[in-house]
Amino acid sequence: MSEIRFGTAGVADDFEELGYKNAFQVPEYLHSFGLNAFEYQCGRGVRLTEKNGNKLGAIGAEQGIRFSLHAPYYISMSGLDDEKRMNSIRYLLQSAAAVKSLGGNRVIFHSGSCGKQSREAALEKALDTMRHAVEAMDEHGCSDITLCPEVMGKVNQLGTVDEVLALCSVDKRITPCVDFGHLNARTMGGLGCKEDFAAVLDQMQESLGDDRAKNFHVHFSKIQYTQGGEKCHLTFADQEYGPNFEPFIELCAERGLTPTIICESAGTQAIDSRAMRQYYDSLTK
């Protein structure tokens, strides 16, 4: 049975301050905050060995932690250079192997930018890459891995909600990663009220029509933005930029949604993720 989960992207600034010294202590650290999810960061390349992944995964399982993994940032599903575009599949396979070693099954990735082509042309290339990626996953024994294209924060990046849902149409295993901070940034503050969040959830349900609209992946943080979209991540203490998490958490409770919610606040991920968890608990217990 699926359950809602709360966790962090990487470790927060207080990890070492609290006396933790290595990655194998991450599960204990998360558990101390009442969290049960962790997104392992491979943005600059997949360097996690199978041995270390297995060890960390086993420790995490004892603490009830579910792992996901963020694939390298240099993936470009829509690149004009076909060789580089197809290299993205190799990076996804590396990410899949790494998350399997952790005992997890979700790989989150950025689709890339539109570059010097139209959004329509970029999306067509990304769809083609996505189809090849699914085939490669099956061929390499990774059919149990869920690929999660992410809603992106910069206007020129491929990653509107519509574009992410289009990528999810390639295969029922592909599940959206809705980054609400990114979405708020690229829409210049478009997530101002509960109805705005509800519209996104309704759109997912209409487009996907299955459990992916209930068990999707989430990134959440407040993000400063300019006319070009995302500028930098903030903490929940910021009062100028959104989005606020309460409307989304209320909808999760009301609708019985069970996403994995990963906090990407700037250095306060664990504290801010705990705030979301506590608010959810206050609504459901």
Side-chain angles (χ1 to χ4, degrees), residues 29-230:
Y29 165 78
L30 294 170
H31 187 72
S32 73
F33 282 90
L35 305 176
N36 56 3
F38 185 73
E39 192 157 297
Y40 196 96
Q41 302 298 291
C42 291
R44 291 176 175 80
V46 180
R47 300 184 178 89
L48 178 67
T49 65
E50 183 178 7
K51 179 181 177 181
N52 285 340
N54 288 337
K55 181 178 178 180
L56 178 56
I59 296 170
E62 292 176 359
Q63 298 284 7
I65 308 298
R66 180 175 295 166
F67 290 91
S68 55
L69 183 142
H70 201 299
Y73 297 137
Y74 42 77
I75 283 176
S76 179
M77 309 290 280
S78 57
L80 289 168
D81 186 313
D82 283 345
E83 183 178 352
K84 290 182 179 179
R85 184 163 62 91
M86 290 304 163
N87 277 341
S88 295
I89 297 172
R90 179 159 55 88
Y91 305 140
L92 287 173
L93 287 170
Q94 292 171 354
S95 300
V99 81
K100 283 186 76 153
S101 75
L102 290 165
N105 68 346
R106 287 185 174 182
V107 171
I108 292 78
F109 66 94
H110 299 171
S111 298
S113 67
C114 295
K116 297 179 180 179
Q117 58 190 325
S118 67
R119 299 199 76 87
E120 293 75 16
L123 180 58
E124 281 305 312
K125 283 188 173 59
L127 286 166
D128 179 67
T129 314
M130 195 84 251
R131 295 183 192 102
H132 282 91
V134 169
E135 292 173 1
M137 289 285 166
D138 290 342
E139 291 170 2
H140 288 80
C142 296
S143 59
D144 56 336
I145 297 300
T146 299
L147 297 176
C148 301
E150 182 177 340
V151 171
M152 297 306 297
K154 290 186 170 64
V155 174
N156 67 348
Q157 290 174 316
L158 192 69
T160 64
V161 173
D162 285 339
E163 289 161 349
V164 165
L165 291 175
L167 292 173
C168 291
S169 71
V170 169
D171 189 279
K172 288 189 176 296
R173 289 168 292 183
I174 303 170
T175 297
C177 173
V178 183
D179 189 315
F180 286 104
H182 280 167
L183 182 56
N184 190 65
R186 77 177 300 139
T187 58
M188 310 297 149
L191 293 176
C193 63
K194 193 171 181 178
E195 288 72 21
D196 297 328
F197 285 94
V200 177
L201 299 176
D202 292 343
Q203 183 181 358
M204 280 201 298
Q205 179 60 51
E206 182 177 348
S207 176
L208 300 172
D210 56 29
D211 282 349
R212 291 177 293 173
K214 180 181 180 181
N215 305 324
F216 56 104
H217 206 79
V218 170
H219 287 170
F220 213 106
S221 62
K222 290 186 174 183
I223 292 179
Q224 182 181 358
Y225 55 85
T226 64
Q227 286 303 113
E230 175 188 10

